[in-house]
Amino acid sequence: MTMNTLWFLYTVALFAIALISCSLSLAVWMATRRRDCLVSASGFILYAMELSLIFFDEYARSKYEYPQSFDLPLTHPWESALLSVLFTGALWIWMLMRLHKDFGWRNAGIPIALYAVAAFILVPKEGMSSTLQQWAYWIVRDLTVIGSLGYALWCYRHTESEAERLDLARSKRFFRVACVLAACIALEDTFMILIYRPPEDVAFVTQFLWHMSERNISENLLMVACAVQLLRKNQQVLSMYFSHPPVGAPAAPAPVDVPRADAPADAGDEGSAGASVRRKIIESVSAGGKEMIADELESRMMLYSDARGLSARERDVLRELLHGKDTQNIASALTISPGTVKAHLHRIYRKVDVSSRDELLRDFWSS
C-alpha cells in the first residue's frame, strides 16, 4: 500500500469510531434523556468535523505543501479555531457533568470564553503565522485538555461526598490512560513543530510529515480511548435501562423469576404499568458483565440518594426496588415489615416529588 492509501484508511477508521460513538450516545440519550449523552455526542461529531477538514484538504489537494515546515498558515484557520473552541467546550462541559458540578456561566462560560479568545488570536492565518505561533496555537489546546484532567483530579481529592468519590474512583484506569495520552499530545506537538527537522532528500519521511502536519497520533489515540470507555459505560446504562424501563419504554425479555402477571400490585403501583419496573438486572446479563453493571447501578443509586437527601434506610429500600423486588420481598431482604417498607417508599416519593414507582424510575434515569 502507498502512504496515501494507509493515511486514507486511518482517517476513515477514525471517522467511523467517532460517528459510532456519537450514534451510541444519542441512542442512550433517546432512552434516558441524560444530558451528558448529548454533550458526548456533540464532542464526537465535532471531532469528526475537525477530521473532515484534514481529509478534504489532503484529498482535494488544497493543503499547503509544507512537509518540513510549520511556518505557514492553516488552510482553514477560522473554521479550525471555531471547531477547536466548540470541541474543547464540549469536553469541558462533559467533564463538569462527570464531576457532578454546575455548568453555568462561571464554571463553563468563563473558561470556554478564555480559550476562545486565545484560539482566535493564536490561530495561524494569512499574514500572521510562524512556527512559534503554530506551536502556541496547538499547545494551548493541549494544555486545556491537561488542565481539565488536573481539575478532575483536584475534585476527586477534595470532594466531601463519599458517593462521588466512589463513583469517580471507578474511572481510575481510564483517567491514568487519559493523563498519559494528554501528556504525549503536548510532547508530540512540541517535538514535531519545534524540534524535529527531517532530511530533505528522503521522500518517505517528507510524505509522512506532510500527512502529520495537521495530525496528532496521541490525540487520535485519546479519542479512541474515550470511545472505548463510552462504549463500556453506555453498555452498562442500556443494560440497566432495559432491565428497568419506565412506562412506555421497550422492556427487556422477562427473566424466569419475574413476579407473575397475576400477582397483587403493591401500594403505589399503577396496575400493569407498575409491573414494567419489576425486572431483575443481575440475571439479565452474562457472568462477565454482571459485576460491572451492578457496580454502575450501585454508584448511580448512591449519587441519586445523596442528591435527594435520602436516609441510609431509604437508600436500602431504593436499592432493593431497583433490583425489581416488590414490597414483600424488600421487607424480607431488609428484615422489616411490609408496612415499614411502604412508609419508607412514601417518604422517598415525597423527597423526590413523585407519586409512583414508575415516576420514581423516570426521575432516576433522567438524573
Side-chain angles (χ1 to χ4, degrees), residues 10 47 178 180-189 212 215-225:
Y10 174 83
Y47 195 82
V180 170
L181 290 175
C184 289
I185 292 171
L187 291 174
E188 183 178 335
D189 280 336
M212 281 287 291
R215 283 182 170 88
N216 185 300
I217 301 300
S218 299
E219 185 177 89
N220 298 156
L221 290 177
L222 180 56
M223 186 275 287
V224 173

Side-chain angles (χ1 to χ4, degrees), residues 92-151:
W92 177 244
I93 292 174
W94 183 89
M95 182 73 73
L96 292 176
M97 299 179 78
R98 180 66 181 89
L99 295 170
H100 316 289
K101 302 293 183 182
D102 294 331
F103 50 95
W105 173 248
R106 182 177 180 180
N107 287 342
I110 293 178
I112 294 172
L114 291 175
Y115 174 74
V117 171
F120 280 102
I121 290 176
L122 294 173
V123 63
K125 46 192 172 291
E126 286 290 344
M128 294 182 61
S129 63
S130 65
T131 299
L132 186 60
Q133 185 170 350
Q134 184 96 223
W135 173 80
Y137 173 71
W138 293 111
I139 204 67
V140 166
R141 170 169 166 150
D142 302 342
L143 293 178
T144 300
V145 175
I146 293 173
S148 299
L149 294 171
Y151 178 71

Side-chain angles (χ1 to χ4, degrees), residues 116 289-290 295 333:
K290 185 187 302 182
D295 287 345

